[in-house]
Amino acid sequence: MSAETPACQLLERQEFDYRGWWWVAPPRDSWLESGQGTLLSADCSVRQAWRERGRPVFSPFAGNFPDALPGAVLFWPKSHAFGEWWLLWLCANLPPGTPLQLVGENQGGIKRVLKVLAALGLGCRKRDSARRCTLFETRLDRVGMEPEAAWSRFEAEGLTLVSHPGVFGHGKLDEGTRLLLEQLEQALPGPEQALDVLDVGCGDGVISAWLARRGHAVTAVDVSDFAVQATRRTLAANGLAGQVLASDVYAALGEQRFAVIVSNPPFHQERNIDYGPAGRLMREAPGRLQPGGKLLMVGNAFLPYPDLLEDAFGSFDTLADNRRFRVYRAPGVGSR
């Protein structure tokens, strides 16, 4: 089976034995998933794909890692701060001297790795380049910086939000989320009528915390372990309660149904537009709502959400439209 993504195509041509190596934060690629080595990823959908092939997987938040391994390959993300966190994590958790290769697309900024490694006191050399990608190699060492330092806090909507590189809206309140919260103020009942609410794609937890502060019973899900950790920390920072799960849309929820589903769903996978998660959110929402329930969501105005909502629900309302973002409401069975 041949590699599908450019970075994996570059790796595929290496005359190198990757057996026993860690693949760190890779994209979906059948060549990787059917090959050798172990996955280290914070994306629960990628981990599930590897599990289905009987491959070993780890989350950086799970613990119980192997004591030693031949080496690791880090797929450099578009967020350089996120890539730096992965470097700090690997330096803190793997033995000094462990070989590390770093691969990524040139347009994604992989060449900045040279400055990042130099700032950490790690040497580096270029191993190969092809498919508009570059592969560097180095060896890990202790660097005097802890991964925990990447977490940050900021204030928005009267809440303390905890954020991390790679989490949606890192360090600021997204304009679309702000518009959605303005509409939730009018669309949902007050604390005298608490509802079971699901926040899909919870990010830093601002929507979940906003809902919990108003007395609603909140369940929050996100495909990213970083978002799960951020939302848990945000709820704790504000003295609020809620259930937070790593889930590819509804996958981890069993048969649970909710009075309201709220979302600012993602539509990017790295630099590519991907409507898959948002499409599943809308398509499967009617079966996840209690009788009389509703979906409330926001999206960029150019996205084809009206067609998807029409197909899933048969009807919907546009509650707000500021030309950049739109807030939609779709009624479940028994709402009208």
Side-chain angles (χ1 to χ4, degrees), residues 160-180:
T160 299
L161 304 180
V162 183
S163 187
H164 191 280
V167 173
F168 175 72
H170 174 50
K172 64 181 185 301
L173 180 62
D174 171 71
E175 183 183 339
T177 299
R178 188 187 304 276
L179 185 64
L180 175 60

Side-chain angles (χ1 to χ4, degrees), residues 39-251:
L39 173 70
L40 179 67
S41 176
D43 187 318
C44 69
S45 67
V46 177
R47 293 200 302 270
Q48 182 59 31
W50 283 57
R51 285 195 193 98
E52 290 173 357
R53 291 177 178 261
R55 303 291 304 285
V57 303
F58 292 94
S59 164
F61 299 103
N64 299 320
F65 306 111
D67 293 331
L69 65 156
V73 179
L74 170 59
F75 290 78
W76 195 254
K78 70 174 183 179
S79 166
H80 298 294
F82 196 16
E84 290 168 10
W85 182 91
W86 276 113
L87 271 176
L88 293 177
W89 189 96
L90 291 167
C91 286
N93 287 276
L94 298 185
T98 300
L100 174 68
Q101 295 184 5
L102 305 98
V103 66
E105 297 185 31
N106 296 335
Q107 287 186 333
I110 181 62
K111 293 183 180 180
R112 286 183 59 185
V113 160
L114 294 170
K115 291 184 178 179
V116 173
L117 291 171
L120 294 174
L122 300 176
C124 179
R125 79 177 186 92
K126 177 180 174 181
R127 181 180 178 89
D128 197 5
S129 61
R131 305 292 297 171
R132 298 180 180 175
C133 296
T134 305
L135 177 64
F136 295 102
E137 58 185 5
T138 185
R139 287 185 178 272
L140 297 173
D141 201 356
R142 298 290 180 253
V143 295
M145 294 178 62
E146 293 298 322
E148 185 67 18
W151 291 97
S152 60
R153 294 188 175 207
F154 67 102
E155 303 294 320
E157 298 292 318
L159 296 162
T160 299
L161 304 180
V162 183
S163 187
H164 191 280
V167 173
F168 175 72
H170 174 50
K172 64 181 185 301
L173 180 62
D174 171 71
E175 183 183 339
T177 299
R178 188 187 304 276
L179 185 64
L180 175 60
L181 293 176
E182 290 172 0
Q183 297 306 309
L184 291 181
E185 190 80 62
Q186 305 171 40
L188 294 183
E192 69 281 354
Q193 185 182 348
L195 301 174
D196 292 323
V197 183
L198 174 65
D199 177 7
V200 179
C202 54
D204 60 21
V206 58
I207 295 175
S208 292
W210 190 96
L211 292 164
R213 187 173 61 182
R214 282 156 178 76
H216 299 296
V218 175
T219 299
V221 297
D222 202 292
V223 74
S224 166
D225 291 344
F226 292 99
V228 169
Q229 294 294 323
T231 296
R232 287 174 178 167
R233 293 182 184 216
T234 289
L235 290 172
N238 293 279
L240 299 169
Q243 181 184 36
V244 191
L245 303 170
S247 180
D248 187 4
V249 192
Y250 304 110

Side-chain angles (χ1 to χ4, degrees), residues 269-298:
Q269 179 64 34
E270 286 293 308
R271 297 198 314 275
N272 300 316
I273 289 180
D274 178 10
Y275 300 134
R280 294 200 307 278
L281 164 72
M282 288 176 266
R283 187 168 56 252
E284 299 174 24
R288 290 289 177 171
L289 289 169
Q290 299 169 0
K294 55 192 171 185
L295 168 68
L296 291 158
M297 61 178 289
V298 66

